[in-house]
Amino acid sequence: MFDYRLKVFHTVATRLSFTKASEELHISQPAVTKHIKEIEIQIGAKLFDRKGTSIQLTQSGKILFEHAEKIRNIYRDMEFEISQISQQHKGKLIIGASTTVAQYILPEILAKFNSYYKDIKIELLTGNTETISTLLKEEKIDLGIIEGESQSSYFEYKTFKPDEIVLAAKSDHPLAHKTLSLKDLYQLDLIFREQGSGTLEFIQNRLKEKEINIHELNTIIQLGSSESIKNYLLHSECLAFLSISTILNELKNNILTVIDIKNFSIERDFHFILPKGEQSELIKLFLRFAE
């Protein structure tokens, strides 16, 4: 029921890309542009500023985005509450989530879930993709949400949410608003996540496809969380590949910026990871809610 034109704006504002929004919504980029222009005419204000090859929300765009979030959540809550009338659920669910998902995506979902299902107790364990897979294999969690690319025959995988990994730096970095080539990476000081990180795995695999060996790059330090990397970037000239999900607030507040790399992008999906076979009713309920 979420107004489609507003949904288009919300997707562009979330992804900060007309191209990515068109792919996610399965419509053409001109159609995305048309919807945005129609909203701008209706409210009498510009919603996006273009800086080089990237876009940023204007002040009016930020205000509209805040209200669009509220409207989307109201519709979602209404539809879910109606669908759950007369159903009662009790029990405990132990969820394992890789670091990015646990820190930036799950908190809102878990807070909403707990407000609906007060008799369901949630326990969240956090670790990198490798750790979560091990916990599920050892039956220490009921389900996991991971960001890694490798898949095991032990488990079933379901797509949860699209994501993109981008090259980030502080907003006043000398390379801000410039477009690099892949070969330029060899000249940069870079920060990466720790071994076992799903994000690191994706970066390494995508670079390898372009004949860039990550081990030959100038890695200044490897850190165990996106928060550590973001704070390091603010105090150095280093750059880092980070999930767009982890830096949305910094981009909107012009604290960090995305450095474009010509003809290169890293797109992925976060996945639910589940034991094979029939799932419990609690797991099915959480999957429906989160999706």
Side-chain angles (χ1 to χ4, degrees):
M1 294 179 66
F2 188 47
D3 177 80
Y4 189 74
R5 192 173 294 165
L6 207 54
K7 181 180 180 180
V8 172
F9 164 75
H10 185 274
T11 306
V12 176
T14 300
R15 304 285 277 169
L16 289 175
S17 167
F18 283 76
T19 302
K20 303 303 180 190
S22 71
E23 292 171 355
E24 187 171 326
L25 295 167
H26 304 293
I27 61 175
S28 68
Q29 189 168 331
V32 172
T33 302
K34 182 174 181 290
H35 283 300
I36 297 301
K37 285 183 177 178
E38 286 172 349
I39 297 176
E40 288 178 331
I41 292 170
Q42 185 176 351
I43 66 174
K46 190 177 180 183
L47 299 174
F48 296 97
D49 280 328
R50 184 170 292 280
K51 295 191 175 181
T53 57
S54 62
I55 60 171
Q56 291 184 347
L57 285 165
T58 63
Q59 191 59 38
S60 297
K62 291 178 181 178
I63 292 171
L64 181 60
F65 182 73
E66 289 176 6
H67 288 284
E69 280 271 274
K70 293 176 183 176
I71 293 168
R72 184 189 66 156
N73 291 338
I74 288 170
Y75 275 126
R76 182 190 64 188
D77 294 349
M78 176 188 66
E79 291 171 355
F80 196 82
E81 286 179 30
I82 291 172
S83 71
Q84 296 301 305
I85 291 174
S86 300
Q87 295 190 37
Q88 293 184 346
H89 303 277
K90 294 182 179 181
K92 182 177 181 179
L93 199 56
I94 304 176
I95 301 170
S98 54
T99 313
T100 299
V101 177
Q103 195 161 9
Y104 299 97
I105 297 171
L106 268 187
E108 179 185 354
I109 293 172
L110 293 180
K112 287 284 186 183
F113 187 85
N114 284 332
S115 71
Y116 287 123
Y117 304 110
K118 300 185 186 302
D119 291 329
I120 298 177
K121 304 303 179 186
I122 297 285
E123 182 178 345
L124 176 64
L125 303 181
T126 305
N128 61 32
T129 295
E130 186 177 295
T131 300
I132 298 306
S133 300
T134 300
L135 289 173
L136 187 64
K137 189 174 181 180
E138 295 173 351
E139 300 182 354
K140 293 180 180 177
I141 58 175
D142 297 307
L143 76 155
I145 307 175
I146 60 170
E147 55 202 73
E149 187 167 31
S150 297
Q151 297 196 355
S152 167
S153 58
Y154 284 104
F155 310 121
E156 179 182 351
Y157 296 83
K158 293 179 180 290
T159 301
F160 169 43
K161 189 181 189 300
D163 185 46
E164 182 180 6
I165 297 170
V166 296
L167 186 63
K170 61 184 179 181
S171 58
D172 60 349
H173 194 281
L175 295 176
H177 312 307
K178 294 186 178 180
T179 299
L180 307 181
S181 70
L182 277 169
K183 296 296 183 184
D184 290 331
L185 292 177
Y186 288 106
Q187 312 303 319
L188 304 176
D189 292 337
L190 297 166
I191 308 171
F192 289 103
R193 284 285 302 275
E194 81 289 356
Q195 292 299 319
S197 159
T199 298
L200 178 63
E201 179 187 24
F202 261 92
I203 296 164
Q204 185 169 335
N205 290 345
R206 294 296 85 77
L207 289 175
K208 186 178 179 179
E209 290 172 0
K210 296 292 186 177
E211 300 183 345
I212 301 292
N213 187 341
I214 196 171
H215 301 295
E216 295 177 0
L217 300 178
N218 188 26
T219 302
I220 299 300
I221 191 171
Q222 288 184 268
L223 298 172
S225 73
S226 297
E227 282 299 308
S228 297
I229 293 176
K230 288 194 294 183
N231 286 320
Y232 196 109
L233 291 180
L234 296 178
H235 302 284
S236 77
E237 298 298 317
C238 292
L239 298 91
F241 286 99
L242 289 166
S243 163
I244 194 77
S245 303
T246 69
I247 59 171
L248 289 176
N249 286 333
E250 286 80 6
L251 292 177
K252 286 166 186 170
N253 293 307
N254 200 33
I255 297 170
L256 294 177
T257 188
V258 172
I259 309 296
D260 289 325
I261 301 177
K262 187 176 181 180
N263 298 326
F264 183 71
S265 64
I266 305 176
E267 298 173 11
R268 63 175 178 178
D269 290 316
F270 295 125
H271 285 92
F272 292 110
I273 177 173
L274 304 155
K276 283 194 170 179
E278 183 67 19
Q279 307 302 330
S280 71
E281 290 303 314
L282 282 184
I283 290 177
K284 291 178 182 178
L285 175 68
F286 184 80
L287 292 178
R288 287 196 302 269
F289 186 91
E291 290 170 345

